[in-house]
Amino acid sequence: MYQSKIAGLGSYVPENVVTNNDLSKLMETNDEWIQERTGIKERRHIKKGDGNSTAIMGVKAAKIALERAKINKDDIDLIIFATLSPDYYFPGCGVQVQEMLDIHTCPALDVRNQCSGFVYGLSVADQFIKTGMYKNILLIGSENHSGGLDMTTRGRGVSVIFGDGAGAAVLTQSDHNGQGILSTHLHSEGKHALELSLKGPSTMHWVPELIEKNPQEDIPYYPYMNGQYVFKHAIQRFSEVIKEGLKENGLEVKDIDLLIPHQANLRIAQFIQQKFKLSDDQVFNNIQKYGNTTAASIPIALTEAWEQGKIKEGDNIVLAAFGSGFTWGSAVISW
């Protein structure tokens, strides 16, 4: 069997910076309250008319990843797009990306696994390359949360957390045995599905417009999150799936050169860091700047870590995610 590796990374976030103080003008909150509970200082939001959407941000990140991978767009055999906020109910963002990048006829697959979406997509891409079915795969995680959040005191427990952005990776066959994705591990437990859920609309006709036309007291259009319940399960599943990946590859915690967790809440990442006794140099977080960008959070963080020289050839990189569903997963990579 072949082995797959990440050949190029790219990310994009909107220019519009929204600070905690900005949010305090919309709801009863403040910088101290938000930082204490989430670690977030600011996030990026799409501004109406700035030309961005979930698919468009994904394209911007993909162009950077393709250039860094030195792979021509016409050599892409499969597009995988992970998001919970597609531009339309259907078609999915994958085919939009194909059209915008002018990629020849090839399959496009949309992954709807929320915060675990990129890890799930990475696993799918890895399997296709391992079997030899495809050689070059474009994997994107992109989210447009901002237009669908309840920017009032009622919704502050969720709305202060989320931001917009996109990350992308190009995967290809590895020429070196043992270099690349070593293993991926995926899980779900559907009985907790409604503890973190959204029963409402799509981003092309987002929440404020719907409510204006159909005002209600009990609004199902905004995300719901049972925060303490999610936190409790997240730290348990993060620990389990990281250990699973290490055991599969005969590695120990000390062998981790860099852990990149899904950027859900800085307090979760810090709890995991303390539990595994990892140093600050062994864990990468950027939620302070971008908030939780769901399927985009790991590829944005992975790209930044690589750009900052924190990832070197031969390093053991562990990715771990947990989110709505509940779904969770990990990937172990020899860079």
Side-chain angles (χ1 to χ4, degrees):
M1 295 180 72
Y2 298 97
Q3 190 152 12
S4 64
K5 68 175 182 179
I6 295 175
L9 293 164
S11 66
Y12 173 82
V13 292
E15 293 182 4
N16 180 38
V17 177
V18 179
T19 66
N20 293 340
N21 288 330
D22 291 332
L23 294 182
S24 71
K25 299 171 185 176
L26 303 173
M27 61 188 75
E28 292 179 15
T29 190
N30 57 65
D31 179 66
E32 182 182 6
W33 189 90
I34 296 171
Q35 286 205 51
E36 179 184 339
R37 287 161 178 76
T38 69
I40 299 167
K41 298 179 181 179
E42 59 187 42
R43 71 285 294 147
R44 304 296 182 94
H45 284 175
I46 289 174
K47 289 185 77 170
K48 287 283 187 181
D50 71 359
N52 281 312
S53 73
T54 300
I56 290 171
M57 290 190 296
V59 167
K60 291 176 179 179
K63 286 180 177 179
I64 298 170
L66 284 165
E67 182 179 353
R68 288 173 171 172
K70 296 181 173 58
I71 290 177
N72 188 286
K73 63 180 179 62
D74 290 324
D75 291 327
I76 293 298
D77 303 311
L78 169 66
I79 299 166
I80 301 175
F81 199 111
T83 188
L84 66 72
S85 52
D87 290 353
Y88 309 106
Y89 283 110
F90 61 88
C93 289
V95 293
Q96 292 179 263
V97 167
Q98 183 182 30
E99 169 66 14
M100 292 179 197
L101 290 177
D102 191 27
I103 293 176
H104 62 87
T105 300
C106 75
L109 172 67
D110 288 73
V111 174
R112 294 296 302 277
N113 283 84
Q114 295 67 250
C115 297
S116 302
F118 186 82
V119 172
Y120 266 71
L122 188 72
S123 182
V124 171
D126 182 43
Q127 310 313 313
F128 273 126
I129 291 175
K130 276 182 175 176
T131 61
M133 185 166 184
Y134 299 125
K135 183 178 180 182
N136 300 309
I137 297 176
L138 174 60
L139 171 61
I140 299 169
S142 182
E143 302 289 1
N144 169 15
H145 289 301
S146 58
L149 297 174
D150 183 357
M151 292 297 185
T152 69
T153 301
R154 176 185 56 196
R156 67 180 178 177
V158 172
S159 298
V160 301
I161 296 171
F162 291 96
D164 304 336
V170 175
L171 286 87
T172 190
Q173 289 178 0
S174 174
D175 296 327
H176 305 289
N177 188 32
Q179 181 188 57
I181 298 173
L182 301 181
S183 64
T184 57
H185 310 270
L186 307 177
H187 301 273
S188 68
E189 194 171 18
K191 68 181 180 180
H192 306 295
L194 296 183
E195 301 299 339
L196 179 52
S197 59
L198 171 64
K199 301 177 181 179
S202 75
T203 59
M204 300 306 282
H205 186 55
W206 238 165
V207 174
E209 291 88 349
L210 283 171
I211 293 174
E212 185 178 351
K213 293 179 180 179
N214 183 29
Q216 318 175 33
E217 289 300 319
D218 183 19
I219 301 173
Y221 302 138
Y222 290 124
Y224 166 77
M225 179 171 66
N226 184 342
Q228 291 185 340
Y229 191 86
V230 173
F231 188 99
K232 173 186 173 182
H233 281 262
I235 58 179
Q236 175 187 349
R237 299 310 190 184
F238 264 114
S239 298
E240 291 174 354
V241 83
I242 290 169
K243 289 177 181 177
E244 182 182 3
L246 294 175
K247 182 179 179 181
E248 174 73 17
N249 295 284
L251 300 172
E252 299 179 15
V253 172
K254 65 180 177 60
D255 297 317
I256 298 175
D257 292 296
L258 194 65
L259 168 65
I260 300 180
H262 162 57
Q263 304 294 294
N265 186 314
L266 186 61
R267 306 306 164 219
I268 295 175
Q270 290 172 334
F271 185 95
I272 297 301
Q273 178 178 346
Q274 293 169 4
K275 182 172 183 177
F276 282 89
K277 295 181 172 59
L278 296 168
S279 70
D280 289 344
D281 290 336
Q282 287 177 286
V283 183
F284 187 84
N285 291 298
N286 63 0
I287 190 173
Q288 303 92 323
K289 296 188 296 181
Y290 305 124
N292 180 346
T293 55
T294 311
S297 80
I298 285 181
I300 290 174
L302 185 61
T303 300
E304 281 206 343
W306 177 81
E307 290 172 342
Q308 294 173 19
K310 297 182 182 295
I311 298 176
K312 304 177 295 296
E313 186 173 347
D315 280 355
N316 291 318
I317 310 300
V318 177
L319 312 178
F322 174 89
S324 173
F326 288 151
T327 64
W328 62 98
S330 67
V332 181
I333 304 169
S334 177
W335 204 260

